[in-house]
Amino acid sequence: MKAAIPGAFPNFAQPVPKNGYAWWYIDAVSDDGRCALTLIAFIGSVFSPYYAWARGRGDTEPLEHCALNVALYAQKHGSGGGGGGGGGDGANRWAMTERGRAAVFRSDRELRIGPSSLDWDGECLRLRIDEIAAPLPSRIRGTVRIRPAALTNQTFKLDGEGLHGWHPIAPCSRIEVDLSHPRLRWSGNAYWDTNTGARPLEQDFALWNWSRSSGGDGVAILYEGIRRGGAPFCLALRVKPDGGVERFEPPEPVQLASTHWWRVPRRTRAEHGQAEVVKTLEDTPFYSRSLLRSRLLGQSVEQVHESLSLERFERGWVRMLLPFRMPRRG
């Protein structure tokens, strides 16, 4: 593995200013396409209603609002394991329990939030997961390992002032999932990045769309949105397996079908307008996660795609719904 990042890494102990945030994001799809997983470790949980309500009363310490989000998508499958989604019970799981400073430990290479943890040994990011799903309680327990092919060293500004940054740490990675609850064991392609910000997302952004696709020649990432005031931003990156990052001209925009239940608008970019939603994984009042099929860089690709409406997130009725899926302890 080419380690291209100098200094402390993954820098879980970095300073996070009041009202700000840092998160480390991972998504993966199994080699057989039957399972998918998204993991997000938050310091200053940007989608927390508790954090938003606390900021309404004054400057707030982000360490009082930390969480590990686990979103597991598993189809039924026969017995087996290894490269497939073996042994799945067909039940999706979602967990995002918020915890305060007393339940958090962090150093440059280790982050513990409640009973779950992340640690980096120089070659592998290991996550020990022990969470309770919501709204229907069920346990998510096991170990996940992320093995990057290479690490990148570029951070991109998402706003003109440089208050919000995005670093695609290891877009070309492999994942090994070994869960006891539910019983799942699989491997597949994975993606790992991090975002940091000095103030709340909704203060500076109205909406964004993000996607990543993987293939033998690397990963293509599309990241675009609308800042407050109407100014757009758009990044189109190709990350090679050796960690090299290059920009490419974004293809034409494509309006996708809105989500079924909450009608969240979705948009992407694709060559010749060729893009379609294959499956919606998350359909919430302000956020969607989907699997797409589209055309990029001259080839047909499958993408993990996310759409986020921060204008929706600001609405009081949306924040009142969130504790049913985002309980808080301590």
Side-chain angles (χ1 to χ4, degrees):
M1 181 191 69
K2 175 185 174 184
I5 300 178
F9 177 79
N11 201 10
F12 292 127
Q14 66 184 273
V16 182
K18 289 184 178 180
N19 305 328
Y21 62 87
W23 79 66
W24 292 263
Y25 168 97
I26 294 158
D27 74 53
V29 179
S30 64
D31 287 330
D32 67 2
R34 291 180 174 270
C35 296
L37 177 68
T38 299
L39 301 160
I40 315 174
F42 290 97
I43 297 174
S45 182
V46 293
F47 306 126
S48 162
Y50 315 101
Y51 194 20
W53 292 329
R55 291 195 303 268
R57 299 188 293 269
D59 288 345
T60 302
E61 173 57 58
L63 276 170
E64 292 296 344
H65 301 275
C66 300
L68 177 66
N69 177 215
V70 183
L72 175 66
Y73 314 98
Q75 298 180 22
K76 285 188 175 180
H77 191 55
S79 60
D89 62 4
N92 295 345
R93 300 284 194 277
W94 166 280
M96 192 169 174
T97 301
E98 184 172 311
R99 303 174 192 277
R101 184 201 299 262
V104 178
F105 168 83
R106 58 191 190 130
S107 65
D108 287 341
R109 291 192 170 200
E110 184 179 4
L111 173 62
R112 296 200 301 263
I113 302 174
S116 298
S117 65
L118 301 80
D119 67 86
W120 169 254
D121 67 6
E123 294 186 354
C124 173
L125 178 69
R126 179 177 56 185
L127 296 95
R128 295 185 178 94
I129 301 167
D130 190 357
E131 299 290 331
I132 301 297
L136 299 177
S138 58
R139 187 169 293 279
I140 309 173
R141 177 183 285 170
T143 302
V144 172
R145 290 178 172 85
I146 309 298
R147 302 186 186 276
L151 304 175
T152 76
N153 59 6
Q154 289 184 253
T155 297
F156 297 86
K157 296 179 181 179
L158 299 181
D159 67 306
E161 298 177 69
L163 297 172
H164 303 269
W166 166 64
H167 176 190
I169 296 172
C172 304
S173 298
R174 292 290 294 174
I175 191 171
E176 300 161 7
V177 177
D178 189 358
L179 302 181
S180 59
H181 298 77
R183 189 172 65 87
L184 277 173
R185 189 173 179 226
W186 54 268
S187 58
N189 288 319
Y191 168 95
W192 178 18
D193 74 12
T194 183
N195 283 63
T196 56
R199 58 191 188 194
L201 280 179
E202 65 270 23
Q203 188 171 335
D204 293 309
F205 299 96
L207 59 88
W208 70 34
N209 293 278
W210 173 92
S211 68
R212 65 93 177 174
S213 62
S214 59
D217 56 352
V219 172
I221 305 169
L222 298 172
Y223 204 158
E224 67 174 316
I226 303 295
R227 302 185 184 105
R228 292 291 184 180
F233 71 92
C234 183
L235 289 168
L237 304 178
R238 179 183 176 187
V239 184
K240 298 179 181 179
D242 65 1
V245 179
E246 60 185 25
R247 293 178 182 254
F248 65 93
E249 186 66 25
E252 61 187 274
V254 180
Q255 196 66 41
L256 302 166
S258 298
T259 59
H260 177 72
W261 291 109
W262 293 103
R263 311 305 299 170
V264 173
R266 294 180 283 195
R267 186 177 120 147
T268 189
R269 289 175 178 264
E271 293 170 356
H272 314 302
Q274 296 181 19
E276 62 176 338
V277 177
V278 175
K279 187 175 184 180
T280 300
L281 300 175
E282 294 291 342
D283 183 355
T284 79
F286 69 97
Y287 170 85
S288 72
R289 180 178 296 131
S290 315
L291 299 180
L292 307 185
R293 186 179 296 114
S294 72
R295 188 167 184 83
L296 282 175
L297 298 172
Q299 57 185 325
S300 179
V301 297
E302 294 184 351
Q303 297 170 287
V304 177
H305 177 273
E306 298 180 321
S307 289
L308 171 64
S309 172
L310 289 156
E311 292 177 331
R312 287 263 193 105
F313 174 70
E314 281 193 299
R315 296 176 184 174
W317 65 270
V318 172
R319 289 178 175 172
M320 290 298 293
L321 291 174
L322 295 180
F324 291 98
R325 297 195 78 186
M326 301 179 186
R328 178 175 169 85
R329 287 191 177 185

mmCIF file of all heavy atoms in Angstrom, residues 278-320:
data_model
loop_
_atom_site.group_PDB
_atom_site.id
_atom_site.type_symbol
_atom_site.label_atom_id
_atom_site.label_comp_id
_atom_site.label_asym_id
_atom_site.label_seq_id
_atom_site.Cartn_x
_atom_site.Cartn_y
_atom_site.Cartn_z
ATOM 1 N N VAL A 278 -31.152 2.047 -9.576
ATOM 2 C CA VAL A 278 -31.327 0.594 -9.508
ATOM 3 C C VAL A 278 -32.060 0.207 -8.229
ATOM 4 O O VAL A 278 -32.960 -0.624 -8.241
ATOM 5 C CB VAL A 278 -29.965 -0.120 -9.577
ATOM 6 C CG1 VAL A 278 -30.123 -1.629 -9.389
ATOM 7 C CG2 VAL A 278 -29.271 0.192 -10.890
ATOM 8 N N LYS A 279 -31.693 0.848 -7.122
ATOM 9 C CA LYS A 279 -32.302 0.527 -5.834
ATOM 10 C C LYS A 279 -32.149 1.707 -4.897
ATOM 11 O O LYS A 279 -31.093 2.356 -4.860
ATOM 12 C CB LYS A 279 -31.654 -0.710 -5.209
ATOM 13 C CG LYS A 279 -32.330 -1.204 -3.947
ATOM 14 C CD LYS A 279 -31.711 -2.498 -3.467
ATOM 15 C CE LYS A 279 -32.443 -3.048 -2.255
ATOM 16 N NZ LYS A 279 -31.843 -4.316 -1.781
ATOM 17 N N THR A 280 -33.192 2.016 -4.145
ATOM 18 C CA THR A 280 -33.123 3.027 -3.098
ATOM 19 C C THR A 280 -32.854 2.328 -1.775
ATOM 20 O O THR A 280 -33.653 1.490 -1.332
ATOM 21 C CB THR A 280 -34.422 3.836 -3.022
ATOM 22 O OG1 THR A 280 -34.650 4.495 -4.267
ATOM 23 C CG2 THR A 280 -34.345 4.884 -1.913
ATOM 24 N N LEU A 281 -31.753 2.665 -1.139
ATOM 25 C CA LEU A 281 -31.390 2.044 0.136
ATOM 26 C C LEU A 281 -31.953 2.815 1.318
ATOM 27 O O LEU A 281 -32.360 2.222 2.313
ATOM 28 C CB LEU A 281 -29.865 1.953 0.253
ATOM 29 C CG LEU A 281 -29.155 1.125 -0.822
ATOM 30 C CD1 LEU A 281 -27.643 1.223 -0.637
ATOM 31 C CD2 LEU A 281 -29.603 -0.329 -0.788
ATOM 32 N N GLU A 282 -31.940 4.153 1.244
ATOM 33 C CA GLU A 282 -32.483 4.996 2.313
ATOM 34 C C GLU A 282 -33.395 6.048 1.707
ATOM 35 O O GLU A 282 -33.019 6.731 0.750
ATOM 36 C CB GLU A 282 -31.368 5.695 3.101
ATOM 37 C CG GLU A 282 -30.465 4.789 3.889
ATOM 38 C CD GLU A 282 -31.158 4.139 5.074
ATOM 39 O OE1 GLU A 282 -32.230 4.647 5.493
ATOM 40 O OE2 GLU A 282 -30.632 3.131 5.577
ATOM 41 N N ASP A 283 -34.591 6.156 2.265
ATOM 42 C CA ASP A 283 -35.572 7.160 1.830
ATOM 43 C C ASP A 283 -36.069 7.857 3.080
ATOM 44 O O ASP A 283 -36.962 7.367 3.776
ATOM 45 C CB ASP A 283 -36.709 6.464 1.070
ATOM 46 C CG ASP A 283 -37.737 7.442 0.510
ATOM 47 O OD1 ASP A 283 -37.631 8.644 0.791
ATOM 48 O OD2 ASP A 283 -38.656 6.987 -0.200
ATOM 49 N N THR A 284 -35.457 8.992 3.424
ATOM 50 C CA THR A 284 -35.785 9.713 4.648
ATOM 51 C C THR A 284 -36.311 11.103 4.272
ATOM 52 O O THR A 284 -36.241 11.502 3.114
ATOM 53 C CB THR A 284 -34.548 9.863 5.551
ATOM 54 O OG1 THR A 284 -33.726 10.939 5.068
ATOM 55 C CG2 THR A 284 -33.727 8.574 5.588
ATOM 56 N N PRO A 285 -36.816 11.869 5.242
ATOM 57 C CA PRO A 285 -37.373 13.184 4.904
ATOM 58 C C PRO A 285 -36.384 14.165 4.278
ATOM 59 O O PRO A 285 -36.804 15.108 3.602
ATOM 60 C CB PRO A 285 -37.875 13.700 6.252
ATOM 61 C CG PRO A 285 -38.174 12.471 7.046
ATOM 62 C CD PRO A 285 -37.115 11.496 6.644
ATOM 63 N N PHE A 286 -35.070 13.983 4.509
ATOM 64 C CA PHE A 286 -34.106 14.969 3.989
ATOM 65 C C PHE A 286 -32.912 14.342 3.280
ATOM 66 O O PHE A 286 -32.054 15.063 2.770
ATOM 67 C CB PHE A 286 -33.600 15.870 5.124
ATOM 68 C CG PHE A 286 -32.710 15.166 6.118
ATOM 69 C CD1 PHE A 286 -31.328 15.237 6.007
ATOM 70 C CD2 PHE A 286 -33.249 14.437 7.162
ATOM 71 C CE1 PHE A 286 -30.507 14.586 6.919
ATOM 72 C CE2 PHE A 286 -32.441 13.788 8.083
ATOM 73 C CZ PHE A 286 -31.064 13.866 7.958
ATOM 74 N N TYR A 287 -32.871 13.014 3.189
ATOM 75 C CA TYR A 287 -31.660 12.353 2.722
ATOM 76 C C TYR A 287 -32.018 11.049 2.027
ATOM 77 O O TYR A 287 -32.946 10.337 2.459
ATOM 78 C CB TYR A 287 -30.768 12.080 3.931
ATOM 79 C CG TYR A 287 -29.579 11.206 3.680
ATOM 80 C CD1 TYR A 287 -28.393 11.744 3.196
ATOM 81 C CD2 TYR A 287 -29.632 9.838 3.936
ATOM 82 C CE1 TYR A 287 -27.288 10.938 2.968
ATOM 83 C CE2 TYR A 287 -28.532 9.028 3.714
ATOM 84 C CZ TYR A 287 -27.362 9.585 3.231
ATOM 85 O OH TYR A 287 -26.279 8.791 3.002
ATOM 86 N N SER A 288 -31.286 10.731 0.962
ATOM 87 C CA SER A 288 -31.464 9.443 0.294
ATOM 88 C C SER A 288 -30.110 8.829 -0.016
ATOM 89 O O SER A 288 -29.127 9.540 -0.262
ATOM 90 C CB SER A 288 -32.270 9.597 -1.001
ATOM 91 O OG SER A 288 -31.502 10.242 -1.999
ATOM 92 N N ARG A 289 -30.079 7.513 0.019
ATOM 93 C CA ARG A 289 -28.920 6.748 -0.438
ATOM 94 C C ARG A 289 -29.429 5.735 -1.456
ATOM 95 O O ARG A 289 -30.423 5.037 -1.200
ATOM 96 C CB ARG A 289 -28.215 6.048 0.728
ATOM 97 C CG ARG A 289 -27.002 5.225 0.304
ATOM 98 C CD ARG A 289 -26.303 4.589 1.507
ATOM 99 N NE ARG A 289 -25.760 5.611 2.386
ATOM 100 C CZ ARG A 289 -25.959 5.631 3.694
ATOM 101 N NH1 ARG A 289 -26.708 4.719 4.290
ATOM 102 N NH2 ARG A 289 -25.428 6.599 4.422
ATOM 103 N N SER A 290 -28.756 5.644 -2.593
ATOM 104 C CA SER A 290 -29.252 4.823 -3.695
ATOM 105 C C SER A 290 -28.098 4.120 -4.392
ATOM 106 O O SER A 290 -26.931 4.516 -4.274
ATOM 107 C CB SER A 290 -29.992 5.688 -4.723
ATOM 108 O OG SER A 290 -30.881 6.596 -4.112
ATOM 109 N N LEU A 291 -28.434 3.088 -5.137
ATOM 110 C CA LEU A 291 -27.514 2.460 -6.074
ATOM 111 C C LEU A 291 -27.960 2.845 -7.475
ATOM 112 O O LEU A 291 -29.142 2.715 -7.817
ATOM 113 C CB LEU A 291 -27.528 0.939 -5.906
ATOM 114 C CG LEU A 291 -27.110 0.400 -4.534
ATOM 115 C CD1 LEU A 291 -27.187 -1.128 -4.532
ATOM 116 C CD2 LEU A 291 -25.707 0.858 -4.149
ATOM 117 N N LEU A 292 -27.017 3.343 -8.286
ATOM 118 C CA LEU A 292 -27.318 3.780 -9.640
ATOM 119 C C LEU A 292 -26.568 2.929 -10.661
ATOM 120 O O LEU A 292 -25.560 2.306 -10.356
ATOM 121 C CB LEU A 292 -26.890 5.240 -9.863
ATOM 122 C CG LEU A 292 -27.366 6.331 -8.914
ATOM 123 C CD1 LEU A 292 -26.901 7.683 -9.436
ATOM 124 C CD2 LEU A 292 -28.865 6.297 -8.735
ATOM 125 N N ARG A 293 -27.069 2.969 -11.869
ATOM 126 C CA ARG A 293 -26.351 2.464 -13.031
ATOM 127 C C ARG A 293 -26.247 3.605 -14.021
ATOM 128 O O ARG A 293 -27.253 4.221 -14.374
ATOM 129 C CB ARG A 293 -27.074 1.270 -13.654
ATOM 130 C CG ARG A 293 -26.301 0.602 -14.797
ATOM 131 C CD ARG A 293 -27.048 -0.593 -15.351
ATOM 132 N NE ARG A 293 -27.179 -1.646 -14.358
ATOM 133 C CZ ARG A 293 -28.358 -2.046 -13.836
ATOM 134 N NH1 ARG A 293 -29.479 -1.473 -14.224
ATOM 135 N NH2 ARG A 293 -28.393 -3.004 -12.941
ATOM 136 N N SER A 294 -25.023 3.931 -14.450
ATOM 137 C CA SER A 294 -24.861 5.070 -15.345
ATOM 138 C C SER A 294 -23.645 4.867 -16.238
ATOM 139 O O SER A 294 -23.030 3.789 -16.241
ATOM 140 C CB SER A 294 -24.742 6.373 -14.548
ATOM 141 O OG SER A 294 -23.493 6.444 -13.894
ATOM 142 N N ARG A 295 -23.291 5.934 -16.959
ATOM 143 C CA ARG A 295 -22.139 5.869 -17.854
ATOM 144 C C ARG A 295 -21.188 7.020 -17.537
ATOM 145 O O ARG A 295 -21.573 8.185 -17.543
ATOM 146 C CB ARG A 295 -22.594 5.944 -19.312
ATOM 147 C CG ARG A 295 -21.479 5.699 -20.311
ATOM 148 C CD ARG A 295 -21.992 5.457 -21.712
ATOM 149 N NE ARG A 295 -20.883 5.133 -22.619
ATOM 150 C CZ ARG A 295 -20.347 3.926 -22.753
ATOM 151 N NH1 ARG A 295 -20.835 2.911 -22.041
ATOM 152 N NH2 ARG A 295 -19.334 3.714 -23.582
ATOM 153 N N LEU A 296 -19.930 6.671 -17.242
ATOM 154 C CA LEU A 296 -18.896 7.647 -16.920
ATOM 155 C C LEU A 296 -17.575 7.221 -17.553
ATOM 156 O O LEU A 296 -17.252 6.024 -17.575
ATOM 157 C CB LEU A 296 -18.708 7.762 -15.402
ATOM 158 C CG LEU A 296 -19.715 8.562 -14.583
ATOM 159 C CD1 LEU A 296 -19.391 8.426 -13.105
ATOM 160 C CD2 LEU A 296 -19.732 10.016 -15.004
ATOM 161 N N LEU A 297 -16.822 8.197 -18.021
ATOM 162 C CA LEU A 297 -15.484 7.960 -18.551
ATOM 163 C C LEU A 297 -15.476 6.832 -19.580
ATOM 164 O O LEU A 297 -14.586 5.974 -19.615
ATOM 165 C CB LEU A 297 -14.512 7.657 -17.405
ATOM 166 C CG LEU A 297 -14.340 8.792 -16.387
ATOM 167 C CD1 LEU A 297 -13.514 8.333 -15.202
ATOM 168 C CD2 LEU A 297 -13.698 10.008 -17.051
ATOM 169 N N GLY A 298 -16.532 6.810 -20.407
ATOM 170 C CA GLY A 298 -16.592 5.867 -21.509
ATOM 171 C C GLY A 298 -16.991 4.458 -21.168
ATOM 172 O O GLY A 298 -16.896 3.564 -22.013
ATOM 173 N N GLN A 299 -17.465 4.221 -19.926
ATOM 174 C CA GLN A 299 -17.860 2.868 -19.569
ATOM 175 C C GLN A 299 -19.105 2.867 -18.700
ATOM 176 O O GLN A 299 -19.426 3.852 -18.040
ATOM 177 C CB GLN A 299 -16.721 2.143 -18.856
ATOM 178 C CG GLN A 299 -16.203 2.841 -17.606
ATOM 179 C CD GLN A 299 -14.998 2.141 -17.015
ATOM 180 O OE1 GLN A 299 -14.881 0.924 -17.049
ATOM 181 N NE2 GLN A 299 -14.059 2.915 -16.489
ATOM 182 N N SER A 300 -19.801 1.746 -18.702
ATOM 183 C CA SER A 300 -20.964 1.564 -17.852
ATOM 184 C C SER A 300 -20.501 1.266 -16.434
ATOM 185 O O SER A 300 -19.611 0.430 -16.231
ATOM 186 C CB SER A 300 -21.821 0.409 -18.381
ATOM 187 O OG SER A 300 -22.945 0.194 -17.553
ATOM 188 N N VAL A 301 -21.069 1.967 -15.462
ATOM 189 C CA VAL A 301 -20.624 1.824 -14.075
ATOM 190 C C VAL A 301 -21.825 1.696 -13.143
ATOM 191 O O VAL A 301 -22.936 2.093 -13.479
ATOM 192 C CB VAL A 301 -19.770 3.035 -13.626
ATOM 193 C CG1 VAL A 301 -18.498 3.134 -14.447
ATOM 194 C CG2 VAL A 301 -20.571 4.331 -13.705
ATOM 195 N N GLU A 302 -21.575 1.124 -11.971
ATOM 196 C CA GLU A 302 -22.539 1.109 -10.882
ATOM 197 C C GLU A 302 -22.036 2.051 -9.802
ATOM 198 O O GLU A 302 -20.837 2.090 -9.506
ATOM 199 C CB GLU A 302 -22.731 -0.301 -10.344
ATOM 200 C CG GLU A 302 -23.368 -1.235 -11.370
ATOM 201 C CD GLU A 302 -23.657 -2.606 -10.809
ATOM 202 O OE1 GLU A 302 -23.216 -2.896 -9.683
ATOM 203 O OE2 GLU A 302 -24.318 -3.395 -11.506
ATOM 204 N N GLN A 303 -22.965 2.816 -9.208
ATOM 205 C CA GLN A 303 -22.573 3.877 -8.283
ATOM 206 C C GLN A 303 -23.331 3.778 -6.966
ATOM 207 O O GLN A 303 -24.506 3.397 -6.938
ATOM 208 C CB GLN A 303 -22.877 5.252 -8.903
ATOM 209 C CG GLN A 303 -22.114 5.578 -10.168
ATOM 210 C CD GLN A 303 -22.650 6.829 -10.822
ATOM 211 O OE1 GLN A 303 -23.728 6.815 -11.406
ATOM 212 N NE2 GLN A 303 -21.915 7.924 -10.708
ATOM 213 N N VAL A 304 -22.642 4.140 -5.895
ATOM 214 C CA VAL A 304 -23.294 4.472 -4.629
ATOM 215 C C VAL A 304 -23.558 5.976 -4.679
ATOM 216 O O VAL A 304 -22.644 6.753 -4.965
ATOM 217 C CB VAL A 304 -22.415 4.114 -3.425
ATOM 218 C CG1 VAL A 304 -23.100 4.535 -2.125
ATOM 219 C CG2 VAL A 304 -22.112 2.615 -3.406
ATOM 220 N N HIS A 305 -24.794 6.380 -4.423
ATOM 221 C CA HIS A 305 -25.198 7.771 -4.629
ATOM 222 C C HIS A 305 -25.946 8.281 -3.400
ATOM 223 O O HIS A 305 -26.742 7.545 -2.779
ATOM 224 C CB HIS A 305 -26.112 7.854 -5.859
ATOM 225 C CG HIS A 305 -26.655 9.232 -6.138
ATOM 226 N ND1 HIS A 305 -27.813 9.697 -5.543
ATOM 227 C CD2 HIS A 305 -26.200 10.224 -6.945
ATOM 228 C CE1 HIS A 305 -28.041 10.934 -5.979
ATOM 229 N NE2 HIS A 305 -27.091 11.275 -6.825
ATOM 230 N N GLU A 306 -25.709 9.550 -3.052
ATOM 231 C CA GLU A 306 -26.403 10.182 -1.932
ATOM 232 C C GLU A 306 -26.909 11.563 -2.343
ATOM 233 O O GLU A 306 -26.207 12.297 -3.043
ATOM 234 C CB GLU A 306 -25.469 10.325 -0.726
ATOM 235 C CG GLU A 306 -24.985 8.993 -0.193
ATOM 236 C CD GLU A 306 -24.054 9.140 0.994
ATOM 237 O OE1 GLU A 306 -23.231 10.077 0.987
ATOM 238 O OE2 GLU A 306 -24.155 8.316 1.915
ATOM 239 N N SER A 307 -28.112 11.880 -1.912
ATOM 240 C CA SER A 307 -28.672 13.225 -2.077
ATOM 241 C C SER A 307 -29.060 13.749 -0.707
ATOM 242 O O SER A 307 -29.664 13.024 0.095
ATOM 243 C CB SER A 307 -29.906 13.205 -2.983
ATOM 244 O OG SER A 307 -29.546 12.950 -4.326
ATOM 245 N N LEU A 308 -28.738 15.013 -0.452
ATOM 246 C CA LEU A 308 -28.981 15.616 0.846
ATOM 247 C C LEU A 308 -29.631 16.980 0.657
ATOM 248 O O LEU A 308 -29.102 17.831 -0.060
ATOM 249 C CB LEU A 308 -27.652 15.783 1.601
ATOM 250 C CG LEU A 308 -27.658 16.593 2.890
ATOM 251 C CD1 LEU A 308 -28.513 15.918 3.951
ATOM 252 C CD2 LEU A 308 -26.230 16.793 3.388
ATOM 253 N N SER A 309 -30.793 17.180 1.296
ATOM 254 C CA SER A 309 -31.464 18.478 1.291
ATOM 255 C C SER A 309 -31.352 19.083 2.684
ATOM 256 O O SER A 309 -32.053 18.666 3.618
ATOM 257 C CB SER A 309 -32.938 18.332 0.905
ATOM 258 O OG SER A 309 -33.611 19.566 1.089
ATOM 259 N N LEU A 310 -30.466 20.062 2.834
ATOM 260 C CA LEU A 310 -30.299 20.705 4.131
ATOM 261 C C LEU A 310 -31.411 21.695 4.406
ATOM 262 O O LEU A 310 -31.670 22.037 5.564
ATOM 263 C CB LEU A 310 -28.926 21.366 4.192
ATOM 264 C CG LEU A 310 -27.805 20.318 4.278
ATOM 265 C CD1 LEU A 310 -26.498 20.867 3.762
ATOM 266 C CD2 LEU A 310 -27.668 19.799 5.697
ATOM 267 N N GLU A 311 -32.100 22.150 3.373
ATOM 268 C CA GLU A 311 -33.295 22.973 3.587
ATOM 269 C C GLU A 311 -34.381 22.141 4.270
ATOM 270 O O GLU A 311 -35.098 22.624 5.142
ATOM 271 C CB GLU A 311 -33.777 23.533 2.258
ATOM 272 C CG GLU A 311 -32.822 24.553 1.651
ATOM 273 C CD GLU A 311 -33.269 25.041 0.298
ATOM 274 O OE1 GLU A 311 -33.953 24.275 -0.421
ATOM 275 O OE2 GLU A 311 -32.955 26.192 -0.057
ATOM 276 N N ARG A 312 -34.517 20.880 3.879
ATOM 277 C CA ARG A 312 -35.464 19.988 4.545
ATOM 278 C C ARG A 312 -35.031 19.730 5.988
ATOM 279 O O ARG A 312 -35.850 19.715 6.900
ATOM 280 C CB ARG A 312 -35.528 18.647 3.798
ATOM 281 C CG ARG A 312 -36.259 18.683 2.464
ATOM 282 C CD ARG A 312 -37.694 18.209 2.620
ATOM 283 N NE ARG A 312 -38.302 17.946 1.334
ATOM 284 C CZ ARG A 312 -38.525 16.723 0.856
ATOM 285 N NH1 ARG A 312 -38.169 15.668 1.548
ATOM 286 N NH2 ARG A 312 -39.110 16.570 -0.305
ATOM 287 N N PHE A 313 -33.715 19.485 6.174
ATOM 288 C CA PHE A 313 -33.214 19.164 7.511
ATOM 289 C C PHE A 313 -33.514 20.269 8.510
ATOM 290 O O PHE A 313 -33.727 20.013 9.700
ATOM 291 C CB PHE A 313 -31.701 18.917 7.451
ATOM 292 C CG PHE A 313 -31.055 18.717 8.801
ATOM 293 C CD1 PHE A 313 -31.295 17.572 9.545
ATOM 294 C CD2 PHE A 313 -30.209 19.680 9.327
ATOM 295 C CE1 PHE A 313 -30.712 17.394 10.790
ATOM 296 C CE2 PHE A 313 -29.621 19.517 10.566
ATOM 297 C CZ PHE A 313 -29.871 18.370 11.302
ATOM 298 N N GLU A 314 -33.562 21.510 8.063
ATOM 299 C CA GLU A 314 -33.813 22.648 8.963
ATOM 300 C C GLU A 314 -35.254 22.710 9.464
ATOM 301 O O GLU A 314 -35.531 23.411 10.431
ATOM 302 C CB GLU A 314 -33.477 23.949 8.246
ATOM 303 C CG GLU A 314 -31.994 24.264 8.196
ATOM 304 C CD GLU A 314 -31.763 25.693 7.762
ATOM 305 O OE1 GLU A 314 -32.161 26.037 6.640
ATOM 306 O OE2 GLU A 314 -31.204 26.468 8.562
ATOM 307 N N ARG A 315 -36.165 22.031 8.803
ATOM 308 C CA ARG A 315 -37.568 22.148 9.183
ATOM 309 C C ARG A 315 -37.833 21.457 10.524
ATOM 310 O O ARG A 315 -37.352 20.361 10.783
ATOM 311 C CB ARG A 315 -38.449 21.547 8.085
ATOM 312 C CG ARG A 315 -38.335 22.329 6.768
ATOM 313 C CD ARG A 315 -39.135 21.689 5.654
ATOM 314 N NE ARG A 315 -38.919 22.407 4.393
ATOM 315 C CZ ARG A 315 -39.384 22.013 3.221
ATOM 316 N NH1 ARG A 315 -40.100 20.896 3.138
ATOM 317 N NH2 ARG A 315 -39.140 22.715 2.129
ATOM 318 N N GLY A 316 -38.624 22.127 11.346
ATOM 319 C CA GLY A 316 -38.874 21.629 12.690
ATOM 320 C C GLY A 316 -39.502 20.253 12.717
ATOM 321 O O GLY A 316 -39.143 19.407 13.547
ATOM 322 N N TRP A 317 -40.441 19.975 11.813
ATOM 323 C CA TRP A 317 -41.118 18.682 11.832
ATOM 324 C C TRP A 317 -40.169 17.542 11.486
ATOM 325 O O TRP A 317 -40.323 16.413 11.996
ATOM 326 C CB TRP A 317 -42.320 18.678 10.894
ATOM 327 C CG TRP A 317 -42.012 18.818 9.428
ATOM 328 C CD1 TRP A 317 -41.924 19.964 8.702
ATOM 329 C CD2 TRP A 317 -41.755 17.747 8.504
ATOM 330 N NE1 TRP A 317 -41.621 19.691 7.386
ATOM 331 C CE2 TRP A 317 -41.512 18.333 7.229
ATOM 332 C CE3 TRP A 317 -41.707 16.361 8.626
ATOM 333 C CZ2 TRP A 317 -41.227 17.575 6.099
ATOM 334 C CZ3 TRP A 317 -41.420 15.607 7.497
ATOM 335 C CH2 TRP A 317 -41.183 16.209 6.250
ATOM 336 N N VAL A 318 -39.150 17.829 10.638
ATOM 337 C CA VAL A 318 -38.162 16.802 10.317
ATOM 338 C C VAL A 318 -37.326 16.482 11.540
ATOM 339 O O VAL A 318 -37.111 15.311 11.893
ATOM 340 C CB VAL A 318 -37.278 17.255 9.145
ATOM 341 C CG1 VAL A 318 -36.111 16.284 8.937
ATOM 342 C CG2 VAL A 318 -38.099 17.351 7.868
ATOM 343 N N ARG A 319 -36.851 17.504 12.240
ATOM 344 C CA ARG A 319 -36.013 17.272 13.423
ATOM 345 C C ARG A 319 -36.783 16.573 14.538
ATOM 346 O O ARG A 319 -36.187 15.814 15.309
ATOM 347 C CB ARG A 319 -35.429 18.600 13.900
ATOM 348 C CG ARG A 319 -34.363 19.136 12.950
ATOM 349 C CD ARG A 319 -33.800 20.465 13.377
ATOM 350 N NE ARG A 319 -32.714 20.879 12.502
ATOM 351 C CZ ARG A 319 -32.131 22.056 12.538
ATOM 352 N NH1 ARG A 319 -32.514 22.958 13.432
ATOM 353 N NH2 ARG A 319 -31.144 22.351 11.705
ATOM 354 N N MET A 320 -38.091 16.787 14.611
ATOM 355 C CA MET A 320 -38.885 16.097 15.625
ATOM 356 C C MET A 320 -39.004 14.599 15.338
ATOM 357 O O MET A 320 -39.192 13.798 16.252
ATOM 358 C CB MET A 320 -40.277 16.725 15.707
ATOM 359 C CG MET A 320 -40.286 18.126 16.307
ATOM 360 S SD MET A 320 -39.686 18.168 18.022
ATOM 361 C CE MET A 320 -41.007 17.258 18.836
#
